[in-house]
Amino acid sequence: TLTAAGSFGVQITYSGDSSYRNEMHGHFQPPMAGVGDTHTVQDGKWVGACPADMKPGDLVMNQGPGGHEVKMNLRSMFGSHP
């Protein structure tokens, strides 16, 4: 069992209905796996109509430069189905 106290903050900024920026800060005490502070930034933007095989709630992310693509459906993760 690993127990750590921490503090976390999230700021989401929307630019109309075309883009957003999600910034997350975290602090762990004691550090978890050697990490005491984290900072994550996610930027999203409208790039065009969804492909025919996508449905409401689908999210596609690329994991860094040269990374792999991750697909998930947010509605199914949180119990709301299309």
Side-chain angles (χ1 to χ4, degrees):
T1 302
L2 175 62
T3 303
S7 59
F8 306 92
V10 177
Q11 179 177 352
I12 302 173
T13 305
Y14 295 97
S15 296
D17 60 358
S18 62
S19 68
Y20 69 90
R21 181 177 186 88
N22 182 11
E23 223 170 317
M24 298 167 279
H25 298 271
H27 175 76
F28 300 98
Q29 186 58 40
M32 294 180 66
V35 176
D37 292 293
T38 64
H39 180 219
T40 303
V41 176
Q42 295 174 318
D43 289 308
K45 65 181 178 178
W46 169 261
V47 294
C50 293
D53 64 338
M54 289 185 80
K55 59 185 179 282
D58 280 353
L59 176 64
V60 180
M61 299 181 294
N62 289 314
Q63 297 297 313
H68 64 282
E69 189 172 82
V70 175
K71 296 180 182 180
M72 65 183 76
N73 186 281
L74 297 176
R75 284 185 171 190
S76 64
M77 287 174 59
F78 297 105
S80 174
H81 301 282

